[in-house]
Amino acid sequence: MGSIWFRVIFITLLVSNDAVWSDGCWDEDRLALLQLQPLLSLKGFNWTEEKGSDCCEWEWVECNITTRRLTQLSLGNGLLKYLEFLNASLFLPFEELKSLDLSGNGLVGCVENEGFGKLSKLRHLENLDLSYNRLNDSTLSSLTHLKWLLLVLRGNSKLILACLDSKCRA
């Protein structure tokens, strides 16, 4: 009898706290990653064929071990080398994203009205690595919306390293 009450209480707590559990990553994160896949410079690469459907196990991806939400995405070192203009909206589904590495891709700027300012909607984003791209001053000025963020900008225009938060130390 005690076992049944324990189950009832446990399920009630889960439901009342909007708890979510999963055997893998969230569908929103997986679908957003699959939208990025055609932009990768690796011809014929397929995340699901390489590692299965749990995107937390995919290469270049790290997830929160508790929530299974994507927290880090490393698309640097030329993974997006055929993409000159970035659509920052592609990263908005990653609600718990803390770190985004887009370094070394030769990015020139962003798609009109889809610039880096869109990333301000990602309230957990702490690190954005844009080093070794071809971003100019006008593109970099759009980053002023990201006041809490540590930016790495080596090899771009005049800026070497910027930190847009008074708490950061360069």
Side-chain angles (χ1 to χ4, degrees):
M1 186 72 169
S3 172
I4 292 173
W5 281 110
F6 174 76
R7 289 181 192 159
V8 169
I9 292 171
F10 181 72
I11 290 171
T12 303
L13 286 173
L14 286 176
V15 172
S16 68
N17 290 324
D18 295 326
V20 176
W21 64 89
S22 169
D23 291 333
C25 64
W26 284 49
D27 287 338
E28 293 89 348
D29 291 347
R30 180 179 30 259
L31 293 173
L33 285 170
L34 291 174
Q35 286 184 331
L36 288 171
Q37 186 169 288
L39 304 176
L40 298 178
S41 59
L42 303 169
K43 299 295 180 211
F45 178 78
N46 186 317
W47 262 315
T48 55
E49 287 178 9
E50 295 289 322
K51 296 284 185 172
S53 64
D54 180 3
C55 65
C56 292
E57 302 297 322
W58 294 356
E59 201 165 353
W60 312 299
V61 173
E62 288 186 28
C63 294
N64 179 305
I65 59 171
T66 305
T67 65
R68 305 298 286 168
R69 294 300 308 249
L70 188 139
T71 57
Q72 183 172 330
L73 187 56
S74 301
L75 298 177
N77 298 318
L79 283 175
L80 299 172
K81 71 179 177 184
Y82 300 119
L83 185 69
E84 286 189 332
F85 294 94
L86 183 70
N87 180 346
S89 295
L90 292 171
F91 301 103
L92 295 182
F94 307 121
E95 293 178 5
E96 288 189 28
L97 186 65
K98 291 182 179 182
S99 179
L100 178 59
D101 179 3
L102 299 172
S103 64
N105 284 305
L107 296 173
V108 174
C110 291
V111 175
E112 189 173 345
N113 298 320
E114 299 298 333
F116 290 118
K118 294 277 186 184
L119 297 179
S120 65
K121 294 179 181 179
L122 296 173
R123 57 188 175 95
H124 296 286
L125 190 63
E126 298 170 355
N127 298 301
L128 176 61
D129 189 344
L130 296 172
S131 57
Y132 302 107
N133 282 295
R134 297 180 291 154
L135 302 172
N136 59 31
D137 288 342
S138 65
T139 303
L140 294 175
S141 69
S142 71
L143 297 169
T144 58
H145 295 91
L146 309 175
K147 297 190 183 333
W148 67 93
L149 188 66
L150 173 65
L151 293 170
V152 180
L153 299 167
R154 286 184 295 273
N156 285 296
S157 192
K158 299 174 190 171
L159 294 174
I160 302 300
L161 178 67
C163 185
L164 299 177
D165 185 343
S166 61
K167 294 181 278 185
C168 291
R169 301 286 183 254

